[in-house]
Every structure is written in C-alpha cells, then in structure tokens.
C-alpha cells in the first residue's frame, strides 16, 4: 500500500507532527479493515485548517475502486479518529455487497460566511461524466462520501444527479424531466421536475436564500447540468461536466 500524506493550510501544530500522526492512524485503519485478498493502495491523506477546527480527508483505491472519506472536528486527534473510523467502514462497505446508507434527518451545519464578505465560487471542477445507471451513481456517491453526484443518465442522455435526501435517502434528478427509470433494487425516488435554468449568480442567490447545502441546475447558455455546493471553508464550489 503506497502512502502519500500532504498537509494544506494546517494550523495548530507542526507539519511534521501532523504528518506522522495522520500517516500512522490512517494506515492502521486501512490495514485493520483490509480482509484477506483485499488490496488497498494509493492511500492519500490531506489535513486542512477550517473554521473551528481541522478537516481530515482520506482517498484510496480498494480493489481498484476509488473511495474517499472526510471528517471535521475541533482538533487534529478528533478529526483523525473520525476519518479513520469512517475509512474502516468505507473499506468494508465497498468490498462487500452494496447496501443503501441509512438516511439521517439531521441537517449538516452551514459553514460560516467568510470574513471577506459574501460567499463566492472559489473552485471549479470539470470531470468527464460517467454514463451509468442511477444505482451505479448512488454506489459511487456512497463510496466517495458525497451528498450529491453528477453523471450522465443513459435513459435521457442528459446530465443528472443522485443526491442524499429523505425519505429513502436517495433521489434522482435529471436536467430534463422524464418518466421512471428502469428496473432497480436501490430505494431511489424520482424528482418529476427538470433542473431549473439559472445563471451562476442566480444559482448562488437561490442557494443562499434557501440555505441549501447544494443545488443542481442547468445553465441557460448550454442547458448542461451543474452542481453548486458549499465547501468546508464557507465558500462555494461548482461542478460542470467536461465539454
């Protein structure tokens, strides 16, 4: 198992101490969770200072499948404890039969407004969207510790998302409204509405006004789906499929 531990914007302790502690805890968690024949490689850990504490994130490949977990806490030790526990659970989950995650009705805390003023988009991601079923997208969302996942829906050949919401814990929304998707075993409900047509600024305004954790919308210029989401630092990120 390879290891690459990086520290970014970390405060409250020396980088050397943080590196050593992160390497030891996360590597031990991965080793404990790995069963016979399970290959855990490309393990990466990132620590970052966020408002009120430390964010720990671990990325790895488990039997060729990418996983990610991230947890925040007031101190380095607590954040590493949480991410190590989550990593163990995630490794066991992806190496066994997939089971839907229970839905929690507890809302995620809203990150504080940055001291420089209102929130703004500070990071843009343009991944190549995968053509897959909503169920496969839900599995990827769970493996990567996302609350929303953008993909290409083969049934409509348009951008779509699965996201975490009640009552079942999983919901599908498409850029264009369409009927129920095909045969499925996962408890995914369907939004009957297409994505709202919004400019980026109008999307930011709507997300802020409704205090949403994320927003799926389509840009009027090209009709492509986009995801606006809140970052741990209180700013915003935007995901749009690569053209």
């Amino acid at each position: 198992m390879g290891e690459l531990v990086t520290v970014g914007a970390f405060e409250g302790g020396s980088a050397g101490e943080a590196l050593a502690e992160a390497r030891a805890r996360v590597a031990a968690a991965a080793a404990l969770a790995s069963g016979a024949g399970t290959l855990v490689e490309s393990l990466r850990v990132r620590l970052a200072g966020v408002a009120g504490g430390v964010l720990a994130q671990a990325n790895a490949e488990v039997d060729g499948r990418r996983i990610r977990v991230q947890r925040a806490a007031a101190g380095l030790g607590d954040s590493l404890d949480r991410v190590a526990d989550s990593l163990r659970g995630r490794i066991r989950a992806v190496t066994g039969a997939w089971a839907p995650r229970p839905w929690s009705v507890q809302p995620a805390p809203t990150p504080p407004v940055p001291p420089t003023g209102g929130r703004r988009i500070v990071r843009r991601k343009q991944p190549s969207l995968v053509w897959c079923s909503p169920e496969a997208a839900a599995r990827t969302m769970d493996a990567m510790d996302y609350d929303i996942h953008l993909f290409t829906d083969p049934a409509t050949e348009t951008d779509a998302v699965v996201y975490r919401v009640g009552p079942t814990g999983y919901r599908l929304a498409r850029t264009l409204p369409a009927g129920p998707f095909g045969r499925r075993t996962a408890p995914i409900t369907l939004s009957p509405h297409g994505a709202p047509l919004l400019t980026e600024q109008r999307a930011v305004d709507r997300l802020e006004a409704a205090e949403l954790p994320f927003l799926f919308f389509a840009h009027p210029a090209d009709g492509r789906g986009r995801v606006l989401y809140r970052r741990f630092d209180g700013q915003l990120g935007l995901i749009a499929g690569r053209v």
Side-chain angles (χ1 to χ4, degrees):
M1 176 177 65
E3 292 181 344
L4 173 62
V5 182
T6 60
V7 177
F10 179 70
E11 298 178 358
S14 72
E17 293 173 353
L19 283 166
E21 189 168 0
R23 181 180 293 112
R25 293 202 191 192
V26 176
L32 282 173
S34 304
T38 299
L39 178 61
V40 179
E41 56 184 350
S42 302
L43 178 62
R44 295 174 175 85
V45 182
R46 181 176 181 272
L47 304 174
V50 295
V54 179
L55 173 68
Q57 176 178 301
N59 296 68
E61 280 194 17
V62 181
D63 290 344
R65 183 166 187 173
R66 293 172 57 231
I67 65 169
R68 184 196 76 144
V69 293
Q70 63 177 10
R71 296 292 182 268
L76 173 63
D78 287 342
S79 66
L80 288 176
D81 283 343
R82 293 180 184 182
V83 84
D85 288 342
S86 297
L87 181 63
R88 283 192 290 267
R90 191 62 41 81
I91 291 173
R92 295 189 182 107
V94 299
T95 54
W98 180 75
R101 285 191 295 162
W103 167 246
S104 171
V105 297
Q106 293 294 329
T110 300
V113 177
T116 54
R119 293 184 177 89
R120 58 191 178 89
I121 298 172
V122 299
R123 186 176 185 188
R124 297 172 183 269
K125 302 177 184 178
Q126 287 189 300
S128 296
L129 302 187
V130 175
W131 286 60
C132 64
S133 69
E135 286 192 352
R139 291 183 176 92
T140 297
M141 179 175 65
D142 283 356
M144 296 300 292
D145 204 17
Y146 299 150
D147 289 323
I148 186 168
H149 180 52
L150 182 66
F151 68 105
T152 301
D153 174 34
T156 60
E157 299 185 355
T158 60
D159 301 330
V161 291
V162 287
Y163 60 99
R164 298 283 290 164
V165 72
T168 66
Y170 299 87
R171 192 164 179 82
L172 167 68
R174 294 162 165 147
T175 306
L176 300 175
F181 55 104
R183 183 179 176 185
R184 61 188 185 274
T185 58
I188 303 174
T189 59
L190 173 65
S191 171
H193 308 292
L197 284 173
L198 300 170
T199 63
E200 288 183 3
Q201 186 56 55
R202 289 185 62 196
V204 170
D205 293 343
R206 180 174 294 194
L207 180 135
E208 290 291 87
E211 299 183 352
L212 301 171
F214 50 76
L215 177 65
F216 175 53
F217 69 101
H219 199 284
D222 56 15
R224 294 291 304 273
R226 289 161 168 75
V227 173
L228 182 69
Y229 66 96
R230 297 182 189 273
R231 292 162 44 93
F232 272 94
D233 62 6
Q235 297 287 10
L236 304 176
L238 183 73
I239 305 172
R242 186 175 302 168
V243 177

